[in-house]
Amino acid sequence: MSLEEIREQNKRLVAETALEVFTRQGAGNTTVADISRACGLTERSIYRYYKTKVDLIQAAVYLYYDKMTREADRRSREMFRPGMTGLEQIHQMLRFYSHMYLEYPDQIRFCADAEVILSRAGRERDDVNWPPEQFERSNSPLVRAIRQGLADGSVSPKVDVKNLYYNAYDSILGVMQKMSWSRLQVSREEAGTRM
């Protein structure tokens, strides 16, 4: 294995470990020393890969979003049946996204906390990986479903599809974040109803 491959392997290990520790302890309560102990690398090594804790938080968030993007693609292949209209596909994807809170509440809470931390550091929108991806460039299942709906006529050509995409994403994420920041524990049943 080359030095570059080892570096990339270690960098990924640090980001994956950071995501696990941030999710369990909270980003604000986690130190780089905590992550160092969990992944078996020195703090100095971690700082070689990520200059600051904010860089590490951002890497962990992107890692989570990448995992969820792959999960959404996988689930869409399972959910989309031949002959489904684009509107039916949109409905299925919105159900998938809304149930993410039920499946991954700690990760959603971490992402909400990370968004605040990154915003305070002036880094909330400095990378193209921050969701939602631009409609024009996206090949996400939701965008594919919207395009399918336009093609099959189940989505009216009069609909502002960009706003459909962005508003669907923002409203679902907003409800998830609100529930994750709530001091009151929301039951799984109530969360499902809200979503």
Side-chain angles (χ1 to χ4, degrees):
M1 191 178 291
S2 73
L3 288 176
E4 186 58 33
E5 289 171 326
I6 292 170
R7 175 180 165 66
E8 288 306 309
Q9 182 181 24
N10 283 345
K11 194 172 179 180
R12 175 114 182 147
L13 169 68
V14 170
E16 287 175 349
T17 303
L19 177 58
E20 290 171 18
V21 177
F22 288 145
T23 298
R24 188 173 55 250
Q25 295 178 193
N29 297 328
T30 300
T31 66
V32 174
D34 295 331
I35 296 165
S36 169
R37 279 190 297 279
C39 71
L41 295 173
T42 65
E43 283 184 66
R44 186 175 180 170
S45 292
I46 291 173
Y47 281 119
R48 220 177 286 137
Y49 304 125
Y50 300 97
K51 300 285 185 220
T52 67
K53 181 180 169 183
V54 171
D55 291 334
L56 192 48
I57 289 169
Q58 191 168 30
V61 167
Y62 290 163
L63 179 65
Y64 176 71
Y65 287 143
D66 288 343
K67 286 180 178 186
M68 286 301 96
T69 299
R70 286 192 305 278
E71 180 68 6
D73 280 334
R74 184 185 71 74
R75 295 265 186 103
S76 70
R77 287 190 299 277
E78 291 173 1
M79 294 183 299
F80 293 177
R81 297 175 314 280
M84 282 181 86
T85 67
L87 188 58
E88 290 169 326
Q89 292 175 13
I90 291 168
H91 182 256
Q92 289 295 318
M93 287 314 302
L94 294 178
R95 287 180 56 82
F96 163 74
Y97 290 131
S98 69
H99 283 87
M100 283 176 55
Y101 179 82
L102 300 174
E103 294 181 42
Y104 310 103
D106 296 335
Q107 289 89 346
I108 298 296
R109 189 173 304 107
F110 159 66
C111 290
D113 291 343
E115 190 172 335
V116 171
I117 291 167
L118 293 170
S119 179
R120 287 182 183 152
R123 311 243 326 254
E124 71 274 11
R125 301 252 183 229
D126 66 350
D127 197 302
V128 294
N129 290 332
W130 195 272
E133 186 178 35
Q134 287 184 349
F135 180 84
E136 296 82 6
R137 290 194 330 234
S138 179
N139 192 32
S140 72
L142 181 56
V143 170
R144 290 193 311 263
I146 292 170
R147 290 182 181 137
Q148 172 65 34
L150 289 170
D152 67 25
S154 61
V155 172
S156 169
K158 295 177 184 177
V159 169
D160 184 338
V161 292
K162 287 183 191 177
N163 275 331
L164 171 63
Y165 169 66
Y166 294 123
N167 289 340
Y169 179 89
D170 289 342
S171 62
I172 289 171
L173 184 59
V175 171
M176 284 186 214
Q177 288 178 337
K178 183 175 182 175
M179 286 191 302
S180 72
W181 284 332
S182 175
R183 293 178 192 199
L184 303 172
Q185 287 294 340
V186 176
S187 72
R188 186 173 175 83
E189 221 171 66
E190 185 179 350
T193 300
R194 287 185 187 184
M195 292 309 294

PDB file of all heavy atoms in Angstrom, residues 6 33 41 56 67 72 85 90 99 104 115 123-124 160 164 189 192-193:
ATOM      1  N   ILE A   6      -2.428   4.875   2.397  1.00  0.00           N
ATOM      2  CA  ILE A   6      -2.480   4.793   3.861  1.00  0.00           C
ATOM      3  C   ILE A   6      -3.058   6.083   4.425  1.00  0.00           C
ATOM      4  O   ILE A   6      -3.894   6.058   5.326  1.00  0.00           O
ATOM      5  CB  ILE A   6      -1.079   4.504   4.448  1.00  0.00           C
ATOM      6  CG1 ILE A   6      -0.643   3.097   4.073  1.00  0.00           C
ATOM      7  CG2 ILE A   6      -1.074   4.694   5.962  1.00  0.00           C
ATOM      8  CD1 ILE A   6       0.813   2.788   4.391  1.00  0.00           C
ATOM      9  N   ALA A  33      -9.139  14.545  21.375  1.00  0.00           N
ATOM     10  CA  ALA A  33      -8.553  13.454  22.173  1.00  0.00           C
ATOM     11  C   ALA A  33      -9.523  12.272  22.260  1.00  0.00           C
ATOM     12  O   ALA A  33      -9.102  11.106  22.201  1.00  0.00           O
ATOM     13  CB  ALA A  33      -8.185  13.949  23.565  1.00  0.00           C
ATOM     14  N   LEU A  41      -5.370   6.447  16.836  1.00  0.00           N
ATOM     15  CA  LEU A  41      -4.328   7.300  16.263  1.00  0.00           C
ATOM     16  C   LEU A  41      -4.018   8.421  17.242  1.00  0.00           C
ATOM     17  O   LEU A  41      -4.840   8.753  18.097  1.00  0.00           O
ATOM     18  CB  LEU A  41      -4.788   7.900  14.931  1.00  0.00           C
ATOM     19  CG  LEU A  41      -5.039   6.925  13.791  1.00  0.00           C
ATOM     20  CD1 LEU A  41      -5.644   7.658  12.595  1.00  0.00           C
ATOM     21  CD2 LEU A  41      -3.770   6.192  13.385  1.00  0.00           C
ATOM     22  N   LEU A  56     -12.963  18.597  11.033  1.00  0.00           N
ATOM     23  CA  LEU A  56     -13.359  17.222  11.344  1.00  0.00           C
ATOM     24  C   LEU A  56     -14.884  17.090  11.424  1.00  0.00           C
ATOM     25  O   LEU A  56     -15.459  16.121  10.929  1.00  0.00           O
ATOM     26  CB  LEU A  56     -12.704  16.792  12.660  1.00  0.00           C
ATOM     27  CG  LEU A  56     -12.748  15.328  13.032  1.00  0.00           C
ATOM     28  CD1 LEU A  56     -12.327  14.430  11.890  1.00  0.00           C
ATOM     29  CD2 LEU A  56     -11.860  15.088  14.239  1.00  0.00           C
ATOM     30  N   LYS A  67     -23.390   8.798   3.043  1.00  0.00           N
ATOM     31  CA  LYS A  67     -24.021   7.520   3.395  1.00  0.00           C
ATOM     32  C   LYS A  67     -25.518   7.577   3.150  1.00  0.00           C
ATOM     33  O   LYS A  67     -26.117   6.633   2.634  1.00  0.00           O
ATOM     34  CB  LYS A  67     -23.747   7.178   4.860  1.00  0.00           C
ATOM     35  CG  LYS A  67     -22.332   6.722   5.119  1.00  0.00           C
ATOM     36  CD  LYS A  67     -22.129   6.389   6.588  1.00  0.00           C
ATOM     37  CE  LYS A  67     -20.711   5.896   6.818  1.00  0.00           C
ATOM     38  NZ  LYS A  67     -20.516   5.424   8.196  1.00  0.00           N
ATOM     39  N   ALA A  72     -30.437   6.408   0.106  1.00  0.00           N
ATOM     40  CA  ALA A  72     -31.608   6.858  -0.663  1.00  0.00           C
ATOM     41  C   ALA A  72     -31.608   6.226  -2.049  1.00  0.00           C
ATOM     42  O   ALA A  72     -32.664   5.783  -2.537  1.00  0.00           O
ATOM     43  CB  ALA A  72     -31.624   8.384  -0.771  1.00  0.00           C
ATOM     44  N   THR A  85     -45.651   6.194 -11.623  1.00  0.00           N
ATOM     45  CA  THR A  85     -45.544   7.545 -12.158  1.00  0.00           C
ATOM     46  C   THR A  85     -44.487   8.311 -11.363  1.00  0.00           C
ATOM     47  O   THR A  85     -44.114   7.913 -10.253  1.00  0.00           O
ATOM     48  CB  THR A  85     -46.883   8.307 -12.040  1.00  0.00           C
ATOM     49  OG1 THR A  85     -47.166   8.518 -10.647  1.00  0.00           O
ATOM     50  CG2 THR A  85     -48.009   7.555 -12.721  1.00  0.00           C
ATOM     51  N   ILE A  90     -42.143  10.375  -6.246  1.00  0.00           N
ATOM     52  CA  ILE A  90     -41.925  11.513  -5.341  1.00  0.00           C
ATOM     53  C   ILE A  90     -42.503  11.184  -3.975  1.00  0.00           C
ATOM     54  O   ILE A  90     -41.845  11.384  -2.942  1.00  0.00           O
ATOM     55  CB  ILE A  90     -42.563  12.806  -5.913  1.00  0.00           C
ATOM     56  CG1 ILE A  90     -41.808  13.274  -7.155  1.00  0.00           C
ATOM     57  CG2 ILE A  90     -42.598  13.909  -4.853  1.00  0.00           C
ATOM     58  CD1 ILE A  90     -42.531  14.360  -7.944  1.00  0.00           C
ATOM     59  N   HIS A  99     -38.886   9.429   7.136  1.00  0.00           N
ATOM     60  CA  HIS A  99     -38.656   8.373   8.124  1.00  0.00           C
ATOM     61  C   HIS A  99     -37.192   8.256   8.549  1.00  0.00           C
ATOM     62  O   HIS A  99     -36.860   7.462   9.425  1.00  0.00           O
ATOM     63  CB  HIS A  99     -39.196   7.041   7.610  1.00  0.00           C
ATOM     64  CG  HIS A  99     -40.683   6.963   7.731  1.00  0.00           C
ATOM     65  ND1 HIS A  99     -41.526   7.435   6.755  1.00  0.00           N
ATOM     66  CD2 HIS A  99     -41.470   6.528   8.739  1.00  0.00           C
ATOM     67  CE1 HIS A  99     -42.769   7.265   7.143  1.00  0.00           C
ATOM     68  NE2 HIS A  99     -42.772   6.737   8.341  1.00  0.00           N
ATOM     69  N   TYR A 104     -32.582   7.213  12.216  1.00  0.00           N
ATOM     70  CA  TYR A 104     -31.276   7.767  12.550  1.00  0.00           C
ATOM     71  C   TYR A 104     -31.385   9.036  13.410  1.00  0.00           C
ATOM     72  O   TYR A 104     -30.805  10.073  13.064  1.00  0.00           O
ATOM     73  CB  TYR A 104     -30.497   8.103  11.271  1.00  0.00           C
ATOM     74  CG  TYR A 104     -30.442   6.979  10.269  1.00  0.00           C
ATOM     75  CD1 TYR A 104     -31.252   6.980   9.139  1.00  0.00           C
ATOM     76  CD2 TYR A 104     -29.565   5.912  10.447  1.00  0.00           C
ATOM     77  CE1 TYR A 104     -31.204   5.946   8.215  1.00  0.00           C
ATOM     78  CE2 TYR A 104     -29.502   4.880   9.532  1.00  0.00           C
ATOM     79  CZ  TYR A 104     -30.324   4.898   8.418  1.00  0.00           C
ATOM     80  OH  TYR A 104     -30.274   3.876   7.515  1.00  0.00           O
ATOM     81  N   GLU A 115     -24.483  21.835  11.938  1.00  0.00           N
ATOM     82  CA  GLU A 115     -24.873  22.980  11.115  1.00  0.00           C
ATOM     83  C   GLU A 115     -24.690  24.285  11.881  1.00  0.00           C
ATOM     84  O   GLU A 115     -24.192  25.281  11.336  1.00  0.00           O
ATOM     85  CB  GLU A 115     -26.315  22.825  10.652  1.00  0.00           C
ATOM     86  CG  GLU A 115     -26.728  23.836   9.613  1.00  0.00           C
ATOM     87  CD  GLU A 115     -28.100  23.553   9.025  1.00  0.00           C
ATOM     88  OE1 GLU A 115     -28.557  22.404   9.027  1.00  0.00           O
ATOM     89  OE2 GLU A 115     -28.711  24.533   8.550  1.00  0.00           O
ATOM     90  N   ARG A 123     -18.660  28.575   7.963  1.00  0.00           N
ATOM     91  CA  ARG A 123     -18.361  27.510   7.002  1.00  0.00           C
ATOM     92  C   ARG A 123     -19.597  26.736   6.569  1.00  0.00           C
ATOM     93  O   ARG A 123     -19.471  25.627   6.063  1.00  0.00           O
ATOM     94  CB  ARG A 123     -17.373  26.533   7.636  1.00  0.00           C
ATOM     95  CG  ARG A 123     -16.184  27.184   8.263  1.00  0.00           C
ATOM     96  CD  ARG A 123     -14.850  26.863   7.701  1.00  0.00           C
ATOM     97  NE  ARG A 123     -14.634  25.563   7.207  1.00  0.00           N
ATOM     98  CZ  ARG A 123     -13.901  24.634   7.819  1.00  0.00           C
ATOM     99  NH1 ARG A 123     -13.354  24.852   8.979  1.00  0.00           N
ATOM    100  NH2 ARG A 123     -13.708  23.476   7.241  1.00  0.00           N
ATOM    101  N   GLU A 124     -20.776  27.302   6.744  1.00  0.00           N
ATOM    102  CA  GLU A 124     -21.979  26.533   6.468  1.00  0.00           C
ATOM    103  C   GLU A 124     -22.215  26.258   4.986  1.00  0.00           C
ATOM    104  O   GLU A 124     -22.892  25.317   4.641  1.00  0.00           O
ATOM    105  CB  GLU A 124     -23.220  27.191   7.085  1.00  0.00           C
ATOM    106  CG  GLU A 124     -23.667  28.470   6.414  1.00  0.00           C
ATOM    107  CD  GLU A 124     -22.970  29.706   6.930  1.00  0.00           C
ATOM    108  OE1 GLU A 124     -21.984  29.604   7.659  1.00  0.00           O
ATOM    109  OE2 GLU A 124     -23.419  30.808   6.582  1.00  0.00           O
ATOM    110  N   ASP A 160     -43.287  24.743 -10.342  1.00  0.00           N
ATOM    111  CA  ASP A 160     -41.900  25.190 -10.190  1.00  0.00           C
ATOM    112  C   ASP A 160     -41.136  24.039  -9.535  1.00  0.00           C
ATOM    113  O   ASP A 160     -41.133  23.892  -8.322  1.00  0.00           O
ATOM    114  CB  ASP A 160     -41.837  26.444  -9.324  1.00  0.00           C
ATOM    115  CG  ASP A 160     -40.439  27.012  -9.210  1.00  0.00           C
ATOM    116  OD1 ASP A 160     -39.450  26.273  -9.434  1.00  0.00           O
ATOM    117  OD2 ASP A 160     -40.321  28.206  -8.876  1.00  0.00           O
ATOM    118  N   LEU A 164     -40.274  22.851  -5.654  1.00  0.00           N
ATOM    119  CA  LEU A 164     -40.774  21.577  -5.147  1.00  0.00           C
ATOM    120  C   LEU A 164     -39.638  20.815  -4.478  1.00  0.00           C
ATOM    121  O   LEU A 164     -39.766  20.330  -3.356  1.00  0.00           O
ATOM    122  CB  LEU A 164     -41.388  20.752  -6.287  1.00  0.00           C
ATOM    123  CG  LEU A 164     -41.764  19.300  -5.972  1.00  0.00           C
ATOM    124  CD1 LEU A 164     -42.841  19.235  -4.903  1.00  0.00           C
ATOM    125  CD2 LEU A 164     -42.224  18.590  -7.241  1.00  0.00           C
ATOM    126  N   GLU A 189     -43.914   7.065  17.788  1.00  0.00           N
ATOM    127  CA  GLU A 189     -45.247   7.211  17.210  1.00  0.00           C
ATOM    128  C   GLU A 189     -45.527   8.669  16.828  1.00  0.00           C
ATOM    129  O   GLU A 189     -45.984   8.963  15.723  1.00  0.00           O
ATOM    130  CB  GLU A 189     -46.261   6.763  18.261  1.00  0.00           C
ATOM    131  CG  GLU A 189     -47.403   5.941  17.752  1.00  0.00           C
ATOM    132  CD  GLU A 189     -48.186   5.406  18.933  1.00  0.00           C
ATOM    133  OE1 GLU A 189     -48.795   6.224  19.665  1.00  0.00           O
ATOM    134  OE2 GLU A 189     -48.171   4.180  19.122  1.00  0.00           O
ATOM    135  N   GLY A 192     -43.334   9.839  13.943  1.00  0.00           N
ATOM    136  CA  GLY A 192     -43.858   9.326  12.675  1.00  0.00           C
ATOM    137  C   GLY A 192     -45.045  10.113  12.187  1.00  0.00           C
ATOM    138  O   GLY A 192     -45.169  10.423  11.000  1.00  0.00           O
ATOM    139  N   THR A 193     -45.916  10.501  13.108  1.00  0.00           N
ATOM    140  CA  THR A 193     -47.093  11.287  12.747  1.00  0.00           C
ATOM    141  C   THR A 193     -46.683  12.674  12.258  1.00  0.00           C
ATOM    142  O   THR A 193     -47.196  13.164  11.248  1.00  0.00           O
ATOM    143  CB  THR A 193     -48.048  11.415  13.961  1.00  0.00           C
ATOM    144  OG1 THR A 193     -48.437  10.106  14.358  1.00  0.00           O
ATOM    145  CG2 THR A 193     -49.272  12.230  13.622  1.00  0.00           C
TER     146      THR A 193
END
